[in-house]
Amino acid sequence: MRHSSTVFLKTLCLSIGTVLALSACSTTTMSSPRSGTDPYDKYYGQTTAQSSDVVDSGSIIVNPSAPQTYTVKKGDTLWGIARKFLHTPWHWPEIWDKNQRVANPHQLYPGDVLTLDYAGGGSGNKLQPRIRVDQRGQGEPIATLAPFTVWPRVLDEATIKNAPYILASRDDHALIAEGETIYVKNLRNTQVGERCAIFHPNEALHDPHTGALLGYEVTYGGFSRVERVDSTSTATVLDAQREIRKGDRLFTAVDEVDQLQGVIHAPTHKVRGDIVSLFDAEEIAGNYMVAVINQGIRDRIEVGHTLGVYTQGRYVVDEVESCKKKSGAVCSQLPPEKVANLVIYKVTDRVSYGLVMDASREVRNGDQIGNP
């Protein structure tokens, strides 16, 4: 009988604690990780020393299903090939055999044959994975990442304000379609026949920690060709990838595909940041979506850097501690989890753009950025 009473009291305590804790934990504010203060900081990836001669074999994880040989095909990407051989594709440069004639691990052509073997020379005389290439390919080299046709930008207010803008279309449509004639104001230093990219101004982006304005996001809508330059210029919409409206801005076209040739590598310094915008996704993104982060040139971010995307752990009820203290709910935060990789393809002073890769679950606006 005494045993039954004890069990009953413990059960009652846990039930009451759970009810109280559910309310308290649901209002707990999650804080973003800060180096040196976050108990889970180490979960956001750590730096690994990189050298052209010595590789930390412990950080290189070979894909168990990696082929012994692979022939590069047209349409392949360097990231995709590295993923075939490694679970840590950002270590591709380190496993490249530097004693072979082809010194550049990022210069591959359709038809080239890659071979995976193992060689000594690592710490503790451990065998290390090594990639060799038999040059049989021709044509254009493969890209690091798959090309895509929509390119967000983050610009300052003055640049957007002073840019040429669409006054109206010939028939004054609210949504302007491909092939329509548009009338443009403020078009300067532009030649007839020149192509201009059309962008739509979006929201302001702020640093989630400091509140500082990072810039204004603009999204790509299509291309136009200038037909006449005057106080009110004329152009033709050649390609409409998205809705084009009055007030959209025109900028000189930039071949962003060149940005996809970056050298894949992991940063050698500690990286901590946040996703501040997901392109074409209000809250959630997946593979091959573009994410904007609040880290840039001033933070030593480089094109080709592979970063980790981490989601913060939920706050949950610690039922045992709640019962012990008898003073209300005790909440504990679960550790963060890595949910994707982010390969940086463009860097500006304050923000960088990356492509979400290898997502194991949804990537959300506000997720944390760390080392891979």
Side-chain angles (χ1 to χ4, degrees), residues 176-285:
I176 301 170
E178 191 173 300
E180 287 198 59
T181 296
I182 55 175
Y183 300 100
V184 181
K185 300 290 286 187
N186 292 346
L187 190 64
R188 299 178 292 270
N189 302 319
T190 305
Q191 303 296 320
V192 171
E194 189 172 334
R195 294 192 176 196
C196 293
I198 303 171
F199 284 86
H200 180 71
N202 280 337
E203 61 184 357
L205 300 181
H206 293 87
D207 188 289
H209 301 291
T210 66
L213 179 65
L214 299 173
Y216 293 84
E217 186 180 61
V218 296
T219 51
Y220 171 74
F223 270 99
S224 65
R225 181 183 62 231
V226 176
E227 309 293 353
R228 183 179 67 243
V229 178
D230 207 333
S231 57
T232 299
S233 301
T234 305
T236 302
V237 176
L238 299 180
D239 178 48
Q241 294 287 334
R242 302 165 58 85
E243 299 88 352
I244 296 174
R245 303 179 176 89
K246 298 178 184 180
D248 284 356
R249 267 52 172 189
L250 274 63
F251 295 98
T252 301
V254 177
D255 186 6
E256 301 274 15
V257 175
D258 289 343
Q259 302 284 353
L260 301 182
Q261 304 296 339
V263 176
I264 295 173
H265 60 298
T268 56
H269 65 284
K270 191 174 185 178
V271 176
R272 298 292 183 267
D274 308 85
I275 292 179
V276 295
S277 179
L278 292 169
F279 180 66
D280 256 2
E282 291 183 3
E283 290 294 337
I284 300 175

Side-chain angles (χ1 to χ4, degrees), residues 35-188:
S35 177
T37 60
D38 181 13
Y40 288 135
D41 183 70
K42 64 182 179 181
Y43 283 77
Y44 293 93
Q46 300 298 311
T47 59
T48 55
Q50 294 182 353
S51 164
S52 59
D53 301 315
V54 179
V55 181
D56 177 12
S57 57
S59 61
I60 298 176
I61 304 175
V62 176
N63 188 340
S65 60
Q68 186 174 357
T69 62
Y70 179 77
T71 301
V72 179
K73 300 176 178 60
K74 186 176 181 180
D76 277 345
T77 64
L78 190 62
W79 180 270
I81 290 176
R83 206 72 176 85
K84 290 180 182 293
F85 291 97
L86 298 173
H87 276 329
T88 52
W90 51 90
H91 285 303
W92 178 256
E94 286 101 282
I95 69 167
W96 190 259
D97 186 353
K98 297 173 179 60
N99 295 320
Q100 58 188 325
R101 187 162 57 89
V102 181
N104 187 352
H106 296 83
Q107 197 79 9
L108 297 178
Y109 296 81
D112 285 347
V113 178
L114 302 173
T115 301
L116 172 67
D117 61 12
Y118 291 82
S123 58
N125 295 320
K126 292 181 180 179
L127 293 178
Q128 296 190 47
R130 181 180 63 176
I131 291 289
R132 297 184 61 82
V133 60
D134 181 6
Q135 282 188 302
R136 302 181 187 177
Q138 56 186 351
E140 293 294 320
I142 64 172
T144 300
L145 300 170
F148 48 99
T149 58
V150 286
W151 304 92
R153 294 185 187 178
V154 177
L155 303 173
D156 61 81
E157 185 176 13
T159 299
I160 297 173
K161 183 178 179 180
N162 296 325
Y165 63 92
I166 296 176
L167 176 65
S169 67
R170 175 175 291 171
D171 297 317
D172 201 24
H173 291 149
L175 296 179
I176 301 170
E178 191 173 300
E180 287 198 59
T181 296
I182 55 175
Y183 300 100
V184 181
K185 300 290 286 187
N186 292 346
L187 190 64
R188 299 178 292 270

